[in-house]
Amino acid sequence: MIEKRIYGNPVETGAVVSKMDGTREDGWPFAWRRTMRRDDIVFGLGENMHGINKRGFRYVSWCSDVPNQGEFTPSMYGAHNLIIIYGPSDGSCEALFFDSASRVTFDIGYTEKNTIEVTSEDTGIVLYTIRPDDADTRGDESVLNDVVRQFRTLIGRSYIPPRWAFGLQQSRWGYKTEQDIREVVEGYRKAGLPLDSVCMDIDYMENYKDFTVDKEKFPDLAGLSRELKADGIRLVPIIDAGIRIEEGYDVYDEGMEKGYFCKKEDGTPFAAGVWPGRSHFTDFMREDASEWFGSKYKALTDQGIEGFWNDMNEPAMFYSDESIRAVFEKIKEFEGKRLDVDSFFKFTPLSGSTFNRLDDYQRFYHEVRGEDGTVSRMRHDKVHNLYGSFMTRAAALALRKISPDRRTLLYSRASCIGAHRYGGIWTGDNAATWEHLRQEVKMLPSLNMTGFLYSGADIGGFGGSTTRELLLRWLAFGVFTPLMRNHSAWDTRRQEFYAFGDTEDYRSVLELRYALLPYIYSEFVKAALSGGMFLRPLGFDFPGDDRALRCEDELLAGEGLLIAPVCEENARGRYVYLPEDMTRVSWRRGKIRTQEMSKGSYYIYVPLDTVTFFVRKGKLVPLCAPAKDTESLDTSRLTLVGSGDSYGLYEDDGFTRDIRLEGHLRTLVR
């Protein structure tokens, strides 16, 4: 059951596809309060720090470029305004979606330990309250899974990428030439490690200009794409939000001629510095500008590209003309002076003070079309959280026209709910720390709740130099995440899986991903079509088990798997809680060992070259022989593990856009 209430003057976000009548409420600015009981659990909020249970912290929905996040971080790259309040004492459950383009603050027991307060001041909010269906309608589905399914019906089907996108993606900021790419592929192939794609960061562009290719570094991108595709490998280039200001650059010239860029109050185009230097930003709130930007992806699809990652689209800004001018003027005040303890600490942060400033977001405007067709100007900070999502939508809609019969890989850094229909996300510029591995385990099920099924983190960490052990343990978790990408920054140690000498351990873990890929793809598609979650907390399937409800480091993956990654340095294994009888499966170098285990707690040993997972009671999980890429997988012969009698395997050609279960389910019988 869903109720809709309208506060203030909401801007259409595109998040909701099921239109329904609502009641208009008085009162703005918005302030919603709820008292929590001592044992209430609060799930949701998608991409955020802290636990699966969100109690005890203050979160701010404001798409932010914040690398190296920590427990102190209130905002990340996405704004996912869904919370689910569950009461274990009586089984009560309620999901609340605060649909807004503006900044929204969630104080969940931070100021007052038993109070939730949700506030917003900028535009408006449409509040959807979702309560469970009655028991007869739900059947065996828990109230937690039920409210998620209702919410996902409200916001529409999650994006499904091509099947090759579930293979390993290797990325690094610093692959500067065709030869660099070839060396990466050769490194994987010589080491006998599977690989499906190589991501290209900003180095492939000419002067970091979108939709261009540096002909000196990449003289024949189309030829390179054909060559690699013949070996089962795709190229996945980056596209950034800023358009370089440079006369003679066709994208800039055309955008200026058509007036497609965001403007300041005086009507002149807003400029800010990002990777290409001074840049303009497409007004994605305008349909014509959005279509124009999306059409530019054809410059790369014409060269054989079948996948993209959108970046810097919060939008991230290094400086504006105004902010950098103010900093230089301030620096002059310190010139020639003897700096004391006070003045020195005012002086030192000035060089970084121009990054992603609120006053810069207040300097430019969008054109917003109302329901009556009238166009008005809206200051960017009022609709900031839509920018990255609308860039993803622009790309996805254009790619559907460019490639109407074949799915294209697309994922983004910035997002809000609604973009889940058009692409996936990765969780941004994380770091090579054990804390960030643990955080990914907590974050991905929350993202699944909000519709972002195709998601994952940079394996091994983007910033800082990883260790062999951290990379192996992270990979062992990445085996189960739909988006599995190894990505690192230019100034870190090389962290390709062949870069650590002995590759046997990495091969052992990676081969499990490819052995499991038919199951992962099948369960992902089923979750997307049904409105379910591919990765979910234990408590969603075992709500009557308090220990399962409060478990923060084990997850369910699809209908049949429980995963318990090792996330501690120098650990030989870990404690695991099984909420029901299960089959333990240990994978090591292509061989499996199984053991029936009763419900309860166990310490399990997990060597670095081994992945242990558990198959739920009465379920089967298929495993195929590993292969060098997804196209080489042979699903005609499968090994079935678990205690179940049958499994329905979803299979298609891996590309078709017409995705449905009918005619694509193959029953596997034990």
Side-chain angles (χ1 to χ4, degrees), residues 535-548:
L535 292 172
R536 59 198 182 280
L538 266 60
F540 275 59
D541 287 29
F542 301 95
D545 184 332
D546 192 67
R547 188 165 176 184

Side-chain angles (χ1 to χ4, degrees), residues 333-379:
E333 295 179 13
F334 294 95
E335 188 175 2
K337 294 184 178 179
R338 179 181 296 177
L339 302 183
D340 59 19
V341 63
D342 294 322
S343 56
F344 178 75
F345 285 107
K346 292 177 181 177
F347 169 77
T348 50
L350 284 174
S351 63
S353 66
T354 61
F355 279 77
N356 304 318
R357 286 169 51 145
L358 177 60
D359 58 355
D360 281 341
Y361 291 135
Q362 294 170 337
R363 297 187 202 278
F364 64 99
Y365 291 78
H366 297 274
E367 292 183 8
V368 179
R369 186 174 297 275
E371 292 183 1
D372 60 358
T374 60
V375 176
S376 60
R377 291 205 310 169
M378 182 76 69
R379 206 173 69 192

Side-chain angles (χ1 to χ4, degrees), residues 517-578:
L517 205 143
Y519 170 83
I520 291 171
Y521 184 65
S522 176
E523 291 301 300
F524 182 97
V525 172
K526 291 177 188 177
L529 295 182
S530 69
M533 300 166 62
F534 175 75
L535 292 172
R536 59 198 182 280
L538 266 60
F540 275 59
D541 287 29
F542 301 95
D545 184 332
D546 192 67
R547 188 165 176 184
L549 271 170
R550 300 185 185 280
C551 182
E552 294 270 338
D553 62 352
E554 299 177 30
L555 301 176
L556 300 170
E559 72 169 40
L561 290 184
L562 181 149
I563 57 178
V566 177
C567 299
E568 300 293 336
E569 189 171 16
N570 294 319
R572 299 180 64 191
R574 58 160 293 165
Y575 284 96
V576 172
Y577 173 65
L578 303 182

Side-chain angles (χ1 to χ4, degrees), residues 514-519 522 592 621-626 633-641 647-651 666-670:
Y514 283 78
L516 272 172
L517 205 143
Y519 170 83
S522 176
I592 58 173
V621 171
L623 295 167
C624 69
L633 289 171
D634 179 6
T635 61
S636 64
R637 294 194 301 173
L638 297 167
T639 299
L640 303 178
V641 293
Y647 175 73
L649 179 69
Y650 173 85
E651 294 182 297
R666 175 159 64 105
T667 301
L668 307 175
V669 180
R670 190 174 180 79

Side-chain angles (χ1 to χ4, degrees), residues 321-585:
D321 292 350
E322 293 82 0
S323 65
I324 201 165
R325 185 184 308 117
V327 165
F328 279 122
E329 290 174 357
K330 189 68 177 177
I331 288 175
K332 289 178 183 177
E333 295 179 13
F334 294 95
E335 188 175 2
K337 294 184 178 179
R338 179 181 296 177
L339 302 183
D340 59 19
V341 63
D342 294 322
S343 56
F344 178 75
F345 285 107
K346 292 177 181 177
F347 169 77
T348 50
L350 284 174
S351 63
S353 66
T354 61
F355 279 77
N356 304 318
R357 286 169 51 145
L358 177 60
D359 58 355
D360 281 341
Y361 291 135
Q362 294 170 337
R363 297 187 202 278
F364 64 99
Y365 291 78
H366 297 274
E367 292 183 8
V368 179
R369 186 174 297 275
E371 292 183 1
D372 60 358
T374 60
V375 176
S376 60
R377 291 205 310 169
M378 182 76 69
R379 206 173 69 192
H380 171 82
D381 61 301
K382 306 295 185 183
V383 292
H384 171 78
N385 288 340
L386 298 182
Y387 194 83
S389 288
F390 279 27
M391 178 182 175
T392 299
R393 183 177 70 177
L397 294 178
L399 290 167
R400 288 178 189 175
K401 293 179 181 178
I402 293 168
S403 178
D405 301 321
R406 294 169 68 91
R407 283 171 263 160
T408 303
L409 171 61
L410 180 65
Y411 54 94
S412 170
R413 192 169 76 175
S415 65
C416 70
I417 294 171
H420 71 285
R421 299 194 300 273
Y422 302 106
I425 60 173
W426 89 103
T427 55
D429 294 348
N430 61 1
T433 67
W434 292 91
E435 176 196 357
H436 278 196
L437 168 56
R438 290 188 289 270
Q439 188 59 46
E440 185 191 2
V441 177
K442 300 171 185 178
M443 196 181 299
L444 292 188
S446 299
L447 281 168
N448 272 236
M449 295 172 205
T450 62
F452 289 94
L453 302 188
Y454 189 72
S455 54
D458 289 339
I459 291 173
F462 173 74
S465 291
T466 194
T467 65
R468 182 178 184 276
E469 182 189 9
L470 175 58
L471 189 60
L472 270 167
R473 293 301 195 192
W474 208 319
L475 176 61
F477 175 61
V479 158
F480 302 97
T481 66
L483 171 55
M484 183 175 70
R485 181 173 82 154
N486 178 340
H487 183 44
S488 55
W490 66 273
D491 57 349
T492 66
R493 72 186 296 186
R494 297 298 291 257
Q495 68 180 48
E496 296 85 1
F497 295 122
Y498 58 78
F500 290 79
D502 182 7
T503 58
E504 288 299 318
D505 290 353
Y506 292 105
R507 184 182 305 116
S508 176
V509 178
L510 267 174
E511 285 182 342
L512 174 60
R513 168 57 168 228
Y514 283 78
L516 272 172
L517 205 143
Y519 170 83
I520 291 171
Y521 184 65
S522 176
E523 291 301 300
F524 182 97
V525 172
K526 291 177 188 177
L529 295 182
S530 69
M533 300 166 62
F534 175 75
L535 292 172
R536 59 198 182 280
L538 266 60
F540 275 59
D541 287 29
F542 301 95
D545 184 332
D546 192 67
R547 188 165 176 184
L549 271 170
R550 300 185 185 280
C551 182
E552 294 270 338
D553 62 352
E554 299 177 30
L555 301 176
L556 300 170
E559 72 169 40
L561 290 184
L562 181 149
I563 57 178
V566 177
C567 299
E568 300 293 336
E569 189 171 16
N570 294 319
R572 299 180 64 191
R574 58 160 293 165
Y575 284 96
V576 172
Y577 173 65
L578 303 182
E580 65 180 2
D581 297 349
M582 295 190 183
T583 303
R584 175 182 174 179
V585 182

Side-chain angles (χ1 to χ4, degrees), residues 4-11 21-28 123-127 371:
K4 175 182 177 181
R5 287 168 289 185
I6 305 164
Y7 300 84
N9 297 297
V11 173
D21 293 331
T23 59
R24 183 164 289 279
E25 305 288 343
D26 295 328
W28 194 263
T123 54
I125 281 179
V126 182
L127 173 57
E371 292 183 1

Side-chain angles (χ1 to χ4, degrees), residues 566-617:
V566 177
C567 299
E568 300 293 336
E569 189 171 16
N570 294 319
R572 299 180 64 191
R574 58 160 293 165
Y575 284 96
V576 172
Y577 173 65
L578 303 182
E580 65 180 2
D581 297 349
M582 295 190 183
T583 303
R584 175 182 174 179
V585 182
S586 293
W587 169 282
R588 182 179 183 272
R589 305 195 178 191
K591 298 180 179 180
I592 58 173
R593 294 172 57 192
T594 63
Q595 176 188 0
E596 298 305 316
M597 303 185 73
S598 300
K599 172 183 176 178
S601 298
Y602 303 89
Y603 185 87
I604 59 170
Y605 289 96
V606 186
L608 285 172
D609 65 349
T610 301
V611 182
T612 296
F613 57 93
F614 301 86
V615 181
R616 296 181 60 184
K617 183 179 180 180

